[in-house]
Amino acid sequence: MKRERVFFITVADKPGVLFKITNIFRRRNFNIESVTVGKSLAKDESQIVITINADDEEADSFARMVKKLIDVYEVVEAPKDSCYTQELLLAKLEGSKEELREIAKNYGAELMEDGSLILKYSGESSNVESLVKQLSRFKIIHISRTGITAVVKEDGKDILRFGR
Amino acid sequence: MASYLSGAQALVKALERENVEVIFGIPGGATLTFYDALKDSSIRHVLARHEQSAAHMADGYARASGKVGVCTSTSGPGATNLLTGIATAYLDSSPVIAITGQVARDYIGKDAFQEIDTVGIFTPVVKYAFQPLSASEIPFDVKAAFYIASTGRQGPVLIDLPKDVQAEKAEIEFPERVEIKGYRPYVRPDPEVIREAAKLIIQSQKPVILVGGGAVKSEVGPKVVELAEMLMIPIASTLMGKGAIPENHFLAVGPIGMHGTYHANTLIMESDLVIGIGVRFSDRTTMDTKEFSKDRMILHFDIDPTEARKNIVNEFPVIGDLNESMSMLVSEIRKMMPYTKDSPWYKRVKELKEYYEDKIFGENVLSPFIIKKIREILHEDDIVTTEVGQAQAWAELFYKALRPRTFITSGGLGTMGFGFPAAIGAKVAKFDKTVVDIAGDGSFLMTSNSLATSVKEGIPVVVVILDNAVLGMIAQWQRLVYNNRYIASSLGETPNFPALAKAYGAEGVRVNGLEDFEKYFKEAVKSDVTYVIDVPISPEENVFPFVPAGKSLKEMIV
């Protein structure tokens, strides 16, 4: 059954690693819904969080193919509903400050002023989507979304783990 | 102990420390400094005439010897020419190191002369790609490259070395061993899983063993034979598995697949269990995958975890070192069943094998007899390489490989032009053995300029061209699958192959029929220059059995 999957990939922090990983998904014509990369706790390691839409077989096969890369130390794959996920939105806007304050309050977002207005929000992707819709009546100078980062829930199900 | 060396000297010294005895390649602007350092080394250099052939030579050397083969080219076009050969090695899990020159560091990524993104292009077809950006990194990278290429599931590794790094001098230290985080090539099989596998084998009424390229490389054949003899299980192979066990063994039934033997394809489709050992169940082996796995269990022994359930979704995978897996399996089965069994299944195997083993399908065919004659004359440790197409399929069907590493072919990528340079590489590895390239006229022309290498470097091989003046496999498909609508498959009677061979200083002869062939082949085997035997055959000759793409192994055309 196709569903959204989150891959947590611990890798060597050096050039070319992301290319090798995304190339595995590209070769089989999978669109990467989101990718985020950050340093991990261990020295010289990064964590890449990738979300794709795949069935069980595909997810299992991708997890093993990605782990096979020598620069990949560990792969954990979990269905998205087994994860606690967050995404960060930054939106630079022009328009009524009062209205924006109201929206920010409703969403628990922060409004910053820097000549123009900058809205900062983090939440689940569906909330980010609905917030972006609300912003359409303002003049949007620039919107940036980070894509998903996540941790596996304590009671998360169907978790695959390879390596380490 | 550190020494003050240039990057090029460090590279040469690191190669010497890996006991490299030969490098196949062509120099260029971005490798001049490397070649200059190579001049002071005892490592032999074999000059190819095209980089693709250099890679095939290194690959042939690796497959014949079990050692790592090394090839080299310059940057840009040298590297892109090398690519086909490296992809060929990758698809057949052959340990080859490719050393490519690169433009100086400051010019990388700026479309400099003969600059291409070599690491980017090679990454999908190598186990790993190194690009040392300082001379002091070279010894580690070389040591790691050899370690990665030769362990676990073997494969090619790239070392892309910028020109100025070759020239840069530094204090160089050579590591005794390398630790590569994230690379654990050795996988110990799980005893619990082995016990399960043993149970499946014991419960099976109609098992077939299927050996592949992994069984050749790990030289696990004797253990496979032990298992087979214990339970009287027939042993089939993939194209890549030929020679893993002696094909004249009483339980051997030859290869399965698009051009498998009639009895092997029939037995596998009548079986209730396939025991795959070092195989990857490629589409050319299984044909229709669903039919292949429909009425039987598939047990799959392999070292590479990504092969588990890759092509056969409902298989039972046993991941681990093949030698260890087979030892554990054999002792497990002996515990369960300490005697051989004489079953109706074995009677069926015997019956089919006796009827079909020497059967040649089709009328007025010469090629199968030529191949059988080659087998008759060669010793069991002589080596055969093949080109790709009809000649390859005839060799698959009619040449019985008796030892591992004596049947060398491009199975995965199916690279035309592979056989001749691979034969040259194999001959360098096993100079006292006869090496024969079983070729078609189409494939041979793709790398025939390697004649220059074989003559000038004194590496004599025998090339047998099954010359039908067409791209034979294409013509066969156009005849049988595309209703005789021939297009672009006729090559005509050109070139004159004996004259071509002689132009390079090799021997060449055109023979007429089997007897004539035998006479000249015996002469060719003794020749101390490369000998090309042109064997005219009918353009209408088909390779049978033939399973058209998309059909099941049951649906053989004969």
Side-chain angles (χ1 to χ4, degrees), chain B residues 15-74:
Chain B
L15 293 171
E16 286 169 349
R17 288 169 63 94
E18 297 301 319
N19 302 315
V20 172
E21 47 187 19
V22 58
I23 296 175
F24 304 90
I26 304 181
T31 52
L32 276 166
T33 311
F34 166 49
Y35 271 80
D36 188 58
L38 199 57
K39 190 163 173 66
D40 297 325
S41 169
S42 61
I43 295 174
R44 178 182 182 188
H45 181 269
V46 172
L47 180 64
R49 297 299 189 273
H50 187 287
E51 290 85 352
Q52 181 189 338
S53 295
H56 291 328
M57 286 173 197
D59 191 354
Y61 173 91
R63 296 191 203 204
S65 66
K67 293 187 257 185
V68 175
V70 182
C71 57
T72 183
S73 77
T74 192

Side-chain angles (χ1 to χ4, degrees), chain A residues 68, chain B residues 93 127 151-154 183-189 214 218 277-279 300-308 318-323 325:
Chain A
K68 189 177 169 181
Chain B
S93 308
K127 265 183 94 174
T151 50
R153 179 177 184 169
Q154 300 180 327
Y183 183 60
R184 298 278 172 275
Y186 177 76
V187 187
R188 190 171 186 275
S218 59
I277 301 169
V279 299
H300 187 185
F301 294 85
D302 203 274
I303 191 156
D304 180 357
T306 61
E307 285 302 331
V318 186
I319 299 306
D321 177 84
L322 283 184
N323 272 291
S325 290

Side-chain angles (χ1 to χ4, degrees), chain A residues 14 19-20 23 43 45 57 60 64-65 67-73 164, chain B residues 120 123-124 127-128 148 153 180-183 304-309 313:
Chain A
K14 59 179 173 188
F19 161 68
K20 291 181 206 176
N23 218 13
K43 193 174 163 276
E45 289 185 12
E57 258 170 50
D60 173 64
R64 282 181 290 136
M65 281 195 284
K67 175 57 200 82
K68 189 177 169 181
L69 295 171
I70 290 171
D71 289 328
V72 171
Y73 304 143
R164 290 232 167 115
Chain B
T123 290
K127 265 183 94 174
Y128 203 78
I148 291 169
R153 179 177 184 169
I180 301 162
K181 196 170 155 185
Y183 183 60
D304 180 357
T306 61
E307 285 302 331
R309 297 184 296 272
V313 178

Side-chain angles (χ1 to χ4, degrees), chain A residues 58-128:
Chain A
E58 291 158 349
D60 173 64
S61 154
F62 277 130
R64 282 181 290 136
M65 281 195 284
V66 170
K67 175 57 200 82
K68 189 177 169 181
L69 295 171
I70 290 171
D71 289 328
V72 171
Y73 304 143
E74 186 180 39
V75 178
V76 175
E77 182 273 319
K80 196 175 172 191
D81 51 21
S82 290
C83 300
Y84 177 71
T85 63
Q86 285 278 293
E87 182 173 359
L88 175 68
L89 167 83
L90 291 174
K92 190 168 165 184
L93 308 150
E94 281 172 13
S96 154
K97 199 189 285 183
E98 286 66 40
E99 276 183 58
L100 263 178
R101 274 212 191 99
E102 188 61 27
I103 291 172
K105 206 175 124 199
N106 290 342
Y107 278 83
E110 191 184 329
L111 190 63
M112 302 178 293
E113 290 181 44
D114 168 37
S116 54
L117 297 162
I118 299 171
L119 193 74
K120 180 172 97 177
Y121 172 73
S122 79
E124 286 186 27
S125 297
S126 54
N127 292 344
V128 174

Side-chain angles (χ1 to χ4, degrees), chain B residues 208-287:
Chain B
V208 175
I209 291 172
L210 179 66
V211 289
V216 173
K217 289 193 171 64
S218 59
E219 300 188 9
V220 74
K223 290 182 181 122
V224 174
V225 168
E226 192 183 346
L227 170 70
E229 286 177 355
M230 254 160 55
L231 302 172
M232 301 297 270
I233 307 175
I235 311 172
S237 82
T238 66
L239 172 61
M240 292 303 297
K242 277 177 78 74
I245 58 118
E247 288 190 283
N248 59 357
H249 188 275
F250 75 100
L251 285 166
V253 293
I256 66 161
M258 180 175 271
H259 295 290
T261 65
Y262 192 91
H263 50 301
N265 279 351
T266 305
L267 283 167
I268 216 128
M269 297 310 279
E270 286 180 10
S271 71
D272 63 2
L273 174 72
V274 174
I275 307 164
I277 301 169
V279 299
R280 59 187 174 86
F281 295 113
S282 92
D283 55 307
R284 280 293 190 272
T285 294
T286 64
M287 302 309 292

Side-chain angles (χ1 to χ4, degrees), chain B residues 103-276:
Chain B
V103 299
R105 284 167 290 190
D106 281 353
Y107 291 91
I108 293 176
K110 296 178 184 171
D111 296 332
F113 177 66
Q114 294 194 329
E115 192 228 337
I116 200 79
D117 178 12
T118 307
V119 169
I121 292 174
F122 276 67
T123 290
V125 295
V126 291
K127 265 183 94 174
Y128 203 78
F130 291 97
Q131 190 182 57
L133 292 175
S134 70
S136 58
E137 291 171 40
I138 291 171
F140 177 92
D141 288 1
V142 172
K143 184 120 200 119
F146 276 78
Y147 176 56
I148 291 169
S150 61
T151 50
R153 179 177 184 169
Q154 300 180 327
V157 175
L158 173 76
I159 302 172
D160 188 43
L161 195 56
K163 194 177 160 74
D164 58 333
V165 178
Q166 295 171 37
E168 173 186 275
K169 288 204 163 187
E171 284 294 327
I172 306 282
E173 280 193 64
F174 294 90
E176 288 305 321
R177 51 190 300 276
V178 289
E179 183 89 20
I180 301 162
K181 196 170 155 185
Y183 183 60
R184 298 278 172 275
Y186 177 76
V187 187
R188 190 171 186 275
D190 180 345
E192 202 50 53
V193 176
I194 296 279
R195 263 193 291 283
E196 281 302 309
K199 265 185 218 152
L200 287 172
I201 294 171
I202 294 291
Q203 282 159 11
S204 158
Q205 301 303 307
K206 296 184 279 183
V208 175
I209 291 172
L210 179 66
V211 289
V216 173
K217 289 193 171 64
S218 59
E219 300 188 9
V220 74
K223 290 182 181 122
V224 174
V225 168
E226 192 183 346
L227 170 70
E229 286 177 355
M230 254 160 55
L231 302 172
M232 301 297 270
I233 307 175
I235 311 172
S237 82
T238 66
L239 172 61
M240 292 303 297
K242 277 177 78 74
I245 58 118
E247 288 190 283
N248 59 357
H249 188 275
F250 75 100
L251 285 166
V253 293
I256 66 161
M258 180 175 271
H259 295 290
T261 65
Y262 192 91
H263 50 301
N265 279 351
T266 305
L267 283 167
I268 216 128
M269 297 310 279
E270 286 180 10
S271 71
D272 63 2
L273 174 72
V274 174
I275 307 164

Side-chain angles (χ1 to χ4, degrees), chain A residues 127-145:
Chain A
N127 292 344
V128 174
E129 297 286 342
S130 95
L131 175 55
V132 169
K133 270 192 198 127
Q134 299 280 324
L135 298 178
S136 60
R137 57 192 145 109
F138 298 88
K139 187 180 176 199
I140 296 171
I141 313 292
H142 185 195
I143 278 189
S144 266
R145 292 170 64 169

